[in-house]
Amino acid sequence: VEDRADDLLKEEQQQNPPKVYRQSVTYAREHGELQQYHASCHLNERCRDEIDAALAQRFDGLRLGAGAVEQVVTEYGLERTKYVLAAAIQTRDGDGRISRTNREWADSIRTIKDMDRRGFDRSCYYADLQAHTCLLDGFVNQVRKFEKAKAQPAQNTPER
């Protein structure tokens, strides 16, 4: 019974993943939302690690195999996946290996600048993907295609 309850809870979390917290730690502290802030940052870091794992598992040396995007989105949701990828691209400012369209896509996603007292941006913790920039660029292409396919209404086949 406990295993089934755990399975049901996991299914519910996959269908409704927690929202990305889009405020700074200062805002969270002032508004009593530190728990949500820390939980979101933790999930962002886990999402980053899952992206790296998916790329390592599914890249054969020449191409990125199918299923990498689904592996991450199933666990962390499309919103968080896009958020972490956008932050990763934004921290690689000036890297010419990221396509112009993917850079524009990343810039269209609002990420937070969460500066600490020393002027260090805390977002670098979850934006620091280990994957090579070209592999990251290819993965973002797949995420964008995945999102576009999900946005299109399902076509019903006509009955005979």
Side-chain angles (χ1 to χ4, degrees):
V1 173
E2 288 178 11
D3 290 341
R4 181 66 182 138
D6 289 341
D7 291 343
L8 290 172
L9 182 60
K10 188 173 183 177
E11 286 176 25
E12 181 182 331
Q13 288 174 341
Q14 288 175 347
Q15 292 172 358
N16 302 311
K19 298 280 185 195
V20 174
Y21 189 83
R22 295 180 185 261
Q23 302 297 332
S24 69
V25 70
T26 304
Y27 179 93
R29 189 177 297 115
E30 291 170 355
H31 292 84
E33 298 175 348
L34 276 174
Q35 185 176 3
Q36 295 96 317
Y37 170 84
H38 288 298
S40 186
C41 286
H42 180 69
L43 285 172
N44 290 346
E45 290 172 10
R46 287 180 43 204
C47 182
R48 172 206 61 206
D49 294 343
E50 185 69 24
I51 291 168
D52 277 331
L55 293 173
Q57 292 168 357
R58 301 193 184 262
F59 183 62
D60 68 4
L62 294 175
R63 65 185 65 80
L64 184 58
V69 171
E70 291 82 357
Q71 177 179 335
V72 178
V73 170
T74 298
E75 186 73 23
Y76 295 98
L78 186 59
E79 177 196 19
R80 187 169 310 278
T81 302
K82 289 171 38 180
Y83 185 83
V84 170
L85 290 169
I89 289 175
Q90 290 170 9
T91 62
R92 296 181 188 202
D93 191 35
D95 191 332
R97 296 171 291 185
I98 296 172
S99 70
R100 183 176 46 83
T101 55
N102 284 343
R103 186 159 304 280
E104 289 170 358
W105 170 84
D107 289 342
S108 74
I109 296 173
R110 184 178 82 81
T111 59
I112 61 167
K113 296 294 180 208
D114 192 12
M115 307 307 268
D116 67 12
R117 293 178 184 157
R118 296 170 293 199
F120 188 72
D121 188 359
R122 287 181 179 95
S123 68
C124 72
Y125 292 119
Y126 57 81
D128 187 26
L129 288 163
Q130 299 301 305
H132 189 277
T133 303
C134 293
L135 193 52
L136 170 63
D137 191 58
F139 186 74
V140 170
N141 286 336
Q142 288 188 4
V143 167
R144 291 174 58 219
K145 287 178 187 173
F146 177 85
E147 181 180 31
K148 187 176 182 180
K150 291 290 252 186
Q152 292 177 350
Q155 304 231 344
N156 294 330
T157 54
E159 294 183 19
R160 291 183 186 198

